[in-house]
């Protein structure tokens, strides 16, 4: 079931908004669910891996590609979105509104060498600690209330 709160998408017309696809990568370590966060390249804030739509890929596949490129993670992606959050992304001098769709990925493989390994840090945290490190309240809510699928 999606963990959705109302989006606070203000100050822009619907036609101006862009879409990105994010992935919430998780695994179980010593019986506890851990979430992987990465740093953004520009501000070095902790975020979920995410990126723009890609030709000939589903949104969930695009999210999985971002998990690989930004964090070196691969696994099983749920094609049903977990939730949405909104934020403003700086592109040049403009802050454009973005709606990010979050997909869940159970991580199976973790690589040491991946495309953006020299540009980002990766960290595994409990749901609570991961949620506390995220600046966006909508995304923090999604991560804090995520329940890993059983089985």
């Amino acid at each position: 079931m999606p963990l959705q709160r109302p989006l606070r998408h203000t100050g822009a017309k619907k036609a101006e908004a862009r879409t990105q696809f994010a992935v919430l990568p998780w695994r179980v370590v010593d019986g506890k669910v851990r979430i992987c966060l990465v740093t953004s390249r520009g501000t070095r804030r902790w975020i979920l891996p995410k990126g723009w739509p890609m030709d000939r890929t589903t949104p969930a596949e695009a999210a999985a590609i971002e998990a690989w490129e930004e964090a070196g993670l691969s696994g099983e992606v749920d094609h049903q979105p977990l939730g949405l959050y909104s934020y403003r992304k700086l592109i040049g001098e403009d802050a454009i509104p973005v709606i990010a769709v979050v997909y869940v990925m159970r991580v199976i493989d973790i690589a040491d060498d991946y495309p953006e390994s020299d540009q980002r840090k990766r960290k595994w945290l409990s749901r609570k600690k991961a949620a506390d490190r995220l600046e966006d309240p909508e995304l923090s809510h999604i991560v804090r209330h995520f329940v890993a699928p059983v089985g």
Side-chain angles (χ1 to χ4, degrees):
M1 173 189 293
L3 302 172
Q4 194 59 55
R5 293 175 59 179
L7 296 177
R8 52 182 172 74
H9 186 64
T10 58
K13 299 174 188 142
K14 287 183 183 178
E16 294 174 336
R18 303 291 187 263
T19 303
Q20 284 193 315
F21 303 121
V23 65
L24 191 159
W26 69 277
R27 66 180 177 159
V28 176
V29 178
D30 297 329
K32 297 180 181 178
V33 173
R34 296 290 183 243
I35 307 296
C36 184
L37 299 182
V38 297
T39 54
S40 68
R41 287 189 289 196
T43 63
R44 309 301 290 170
R45 292 177 303 122
W46 290 102
I47 61 170
L48 291 180
K50 67 182 176 304
W52 302 106
M54 300 175 195
D55 288 341
R56 293 182 285 284
T57 63
T58 67
E61 290 167 346
I65 290 168
E66 294 301 330
W68 164 250
E69 291 177 354
E70 296 183 7
L73 307 175
S74 57
E76 298 171 354
V77 180
D78 187 342
H79 286 259
Q80 177 70 35
L82 178 65
L84 307 168
Y85 69 100
S86 61
Y87 75 101
R88 292 185 130 353
K89 181 169 184 70
L90 279 174
I91 297 182
E93 294 184 15
D94 297 323
I96 64 166
V98 176
I99 304 295
V101 183
V102 180
Y103 293 88
V104 175
M105 180 175 77
R106 184 174 73 85
V107 175
I108 296 171
D109 215 24
I110 303 168
D112 290 328
D113 185 28
Y114 50 95
E116 297 182 16
S117 62
D118 61 338
Q119 301 169 44
R120 299 178 187 270
K121 290 182 182 176
R122 163 179 80 190
K123 190 163 192 77
W124 290 95
L125 301 159
S126 69
R127 287 175 297 213
K128 182 185 180 320
K129 286 182 180 178
D132 288 347
R133 290 200 184 192
L134 296 166
E135 290 183 9
D136 187 283
E138 295 162 355
L139 179 56
S140 179
H141 176 82
I142 290 170
V143 170
R144 186 177 311 278
H145 297 283
F146 168 68
V147 177
V150 178

